[in-house]
Amino acid sequence: MVIVPMADMFNHGSIPNVEIHYDEEGSCNAYTTVDVPAGSPLLICYANPYNPSALFAKYGFLDENAPATFCKIMDIIPSTENRNLGLSFSRMLFYHENGGISEEVFDVLLFEHLSGEWQTQKDFYNACMNGDVDTKAAYHQQYLGDVMGRLKKHVDTFLIELDKLDEKAASKDIETHTRIPKILAHNAFVREAFIRVKQNSIDPVVGYE
């Protein structure tokens, strides 16, 4: 790790306006990527802007302008195939503003759902990898209820766990545990994204039970 005087003073931004480059001699150069008005902050992206939880854990701040958050599905065993389909913190996303769900979430979950049907799973995977949009869409339509049901269960369960975490945090002494307000703010950001996903993308398909 290298600390660069002045350059390490740039703040984080989900939409950065500065890029850092190193020349052949190892000198660090910072360039603006857009016209920046006088007095405006210069911003770089510290890490993946689509995973504010990781930024919070590493740097101790919440990026409230993050456009999305990782969907928090952590019970899938990684494989070459599901990684190719998008199994990663930066691609399996719940969008904060509109409650949308990234395509990779659907692809990975359907691939896992088809694990008991080897040939069907293989055909779906090949359709994804070969850009066969029609075949891929047909599989998604056929198994939409199963995948959305899995998503509903995950979102409902995660929201309950968030409430429990908040209750536990609220029982602590803020004077002793000074990060609690930031933790609660992070949980609120994630909760908002999950609720919007539930209201806008899941419940209209599987119902409100």
Side-chain angles (χ1 to χ4, degrees):
M1 179 179 291
V2 177
I3 297 178
V4 181
M6 301 303 294
D8 61 338
M9 296 178 67
F10 293 136
N11 287 328
H12 166 81
S14 297
I15 304 177
N17 54 24
V18 171
E19 289 185 356
I20 301 292
H21 298 279
Y22 294 89
D23 61 25
E24 295 179 354
E25 297 179 354
S27 298
C28 176
N29 300 286
Y31 301 93
T32 57
T33 57
V34 295
D35 290 333
V36 181
S40 299
L42 297 177
L43 305 172
I44 60 175
C45 191
Y46 289 178
N48 173 22
Y50 292 98
N51 191 10
S53 296
L55 281 170
F56 176 70
K58 185 172 183 178
Y59 296 103
F61 72 90
L62 173 63
D63 181 4
E64 295 182 353
N65 295 316
T69 185
F70 172 56
C71 67
K72 313 298 184 184
I73 296 175
M74 305 286 288
D75 59 348
I76 296 176
I77 299 174
S79 68
T80 299
E81 290 78 11
N82 58 34
R83 285 194 181 100
N84 288 340
L85 291 173
L87 181 66
S88 79
F89 295 121
S90 62
R91 296 175 64 187
M92 294 184 66
L93 305 175
F94 285 169
Y95 290 96
H96 189 265
E97 183 174 350
N98 62 9
I101 302 170
S102 69
E103 180 180 7
E104 288 84 351
V105 173
F106 291 108
D107 289 347
V108 170
L109 289 184
L110 179 50
F111 181 78
E112 294 303 306
H113 178 73
L114 295 173
S115 60
E117 304 175 44
W118 180 82
Q119 188 60 52
T120 303
Q121 185 188 55
K122 179 181 178 181
D123 292 342
F124 170 70
Y125 177 78
N126 288 336
C128 293
M129 293 297 98
N130 296 330
D132 187 346
V133 177
D134 292 339
T135 299
K136 174 181 172 178
Y139 277 118
H140 274 301
Q141 185 61 39
Q142 180 179 351
Y143 294 97
L144 180 62
D146 298 303
V147 172
M148 293 302 281
R150 165 78 186 277
L151 272 172
K152 178 177 173 59
K153 181 178 180 181
H154 166 67
V155 168
D156 289 346
T157 300
F158 191 83
L159 286 171
I160 291 172
E161 291 301 316
L162 268 182
D163 289 341
K164 292 179 180 178
L165 288 173
D166 280 359
E167 290 176 4
K168 182 177 181 180
S171 69
K172 303 294 184 180
D173 180 6
I174 296 180
E175 297 296 327
T176 304
H177 303 277
T178 57
R179 284 173 54 87
I180 284 179
K182 292 183 178 180
I183 291 172
L184 292 174
H186 165 266
N187 291 355
F189 179 88
V190 174
R191 181 183 289 104
E192 286 178 358
F194 271 63
I195 289 175
R196 287 172 182 160
V197 165
K198 176 178 171 63
Q199 293 176 338
N200 298 345
S201 296
I202 297 176
D203 285 346
V205 176
V206 300
Y208 298 85
E209 72 278 359

